[in-house]
Amino acid sequence: MINQLETMTHFPFDAEIWGTISDWIMIFVTAFTALYLVKTFKQQNTALKMERYRFSMSIRPSFSAKISLIEPFIQLGKEDMIKVILEIKVENHRALMEKIEVELSHIITPENLHRPFRGNRWMEAGALWNVPFTFFEQEKIEDGFLLPVSPSIYVYFQDIEHRKFKQLIHLRTKPKLELYVHPPEELIEK
C-alpha cells in the first residue's frame, strides 16, 4: 500500500497513473467548451423569447372605430333613446371575429347586453363592420338619480395563431360625445 501511494505522489508523476499533459489539457478544454455552450444556449433562448414576443405583437390585430350615425331614436314611449351605428375597422392584420358585445347600462342584465354579432368570421385588414344599437341617454339609478349612459363595446377576436384577445371601445355621451378605443388585451385561459 505504501509503495502505491509513494509512486502516485512521487515527482515526476507517472504517466500511466496520472496521464500526460495533453490528456489534462483536453479535459480542461472540454469543460470550458461545455460551460461556454451552456451560457450561449441560455442567451439564444432569451433572444428567441424576445423575437417570439416581437412577432406576436407584429401580427396582433387591432381595431379602430368611428361613429357613422348618431341620431335620436323616434318611437312612441322611447323619447330619450339614441340610435348609433358604430363602424369598426380592422387596422393592420387578419382577425377571426368571435363576438361583439355592447353593454348599454351601468347595471348589466341580459336586456342591457346587446350582441350584434356572435360566431366566427375572418376579417381581413381594412375590413369594416357596422355595429348598430340603441340606448337610453340617461339611466335612473336609486332615488331617481339620473346617470348618463356610456355604452361599452367589447370586440372578442383571435389572431392568425389563434391567441384570443378583447378590445374595449367606449362611447361617452356626456358632457360631449367622445369615442375611446383601448388597445387589445390578450385573454389568458386558466
Side-chain angles (χ1 to χ4, degrees):
M1 180 84 170
I2 293 177
N3 253 353
Q4 287 179 346
L5 184 61
E6 222 175 84
T7 56
M8 284 176 53
T9 58
H10 186 321
F11 190 77
F13 296 123
D14 188 10
E16 289 179 13
I17 296 172
W18 290 98
T20 61
I21 295 286
S22 65
D23 294 337
W24 281 100
I25 289 174
M26 281 301 285
I27 290 171
F28 287 125
V29 167
T30 304
F32 176 75
T33 304
L35 290 174
Y36 189 71
L37 281 174
V38 167
K39 181 181 176 186
T40 304
F41 287 142
K42 284 181 181 177
Q43 288 176 343
Q44 277 183 331
N45 194 23
T46 302
L48 183 64
K49 285 180 183 176
M50 289 170 51
E51 192 56 38
R52 279 186 186 153
Y53 177 75
R54 187 178 305 143
F55 175 72
S56 70
M57 290 293 106
S58 73
I59 64 167
R60 180 180 74 178
S62 66
F63 295 86
S64 65
K66 72 177 187 177
I67 299 171
S68 64
L69 175 74
I70 186 163
E71 62 185 24
F73 185 70
I74 301 170
Q75 188 174 352
L76 191 60
K78 297 184 179 183
E79 290 80 20
D80 292 339
M81 289 195 81
I82 297 175
K83 180 180 180 181
V84 174
I85 297 179
L86 192 67
E87 188 177 271
I88 297 176
K89 179 181 177 184
V90 182
E91 281 299 319
N92 50 359
H93 293 284
R94 188 176 191 205
L96 177 63
M97 297 290 288
E98 291 182 336
K99 65 182 173 181
I100 297 174
E101 292 182 346
V102 182
E103 292 178 359
L104 301 173
S105 172
H106 298 287
I107 305 161
I108 304 304
T109 63
E111 297 83 33
N112 294 332
L113 186 64
H114 177 58
R115 291 193 174 106
F117 173 75
R118 270 187 91 94
N120 292 333
R121 176 181 170 191
W122 281 103
M123 293 182 69
E124 300 297 327
L128 298 175
W129 187 272
N130 288 325
V131 180
F133 57 94
T134 56
F135 64 96
F136 285 101
E137 190 173 4
Q138 294 183 346
E139 179 179 36
K140 284 187 182 179
I141 309 294
E142 296 175 15
D143 299 329
F145 181 70
L146 292 177
L147 193 64
V149 173
S150 297
S152 298
I153 298 94
Y154 292 96
V155 180
Y156 294 87
F157 61 95
Q158 294 182 24
D159 66 4
I160 58 175
E161 289 189 335
H162 299 287
R163 291 176 309 138
K164 296 182 180 226
F165 294 92
K166 172 176 81 171
Q167 185 168 359
L168 170 63
I169 301 167
H170 190 77
L171 177 66
R172 179 174 287 162
T173 56
K174 300 283 182 184
K176 66 177 185 171
L177 184 67
E178 293 179 289
L179 191 64
Y180 297 98
V181 180
H182 298 267
E185 61 182 69
E186 188 169 1
L187 299 174
I188 307 296
E189 293 186 21
K190 296 176 184 176

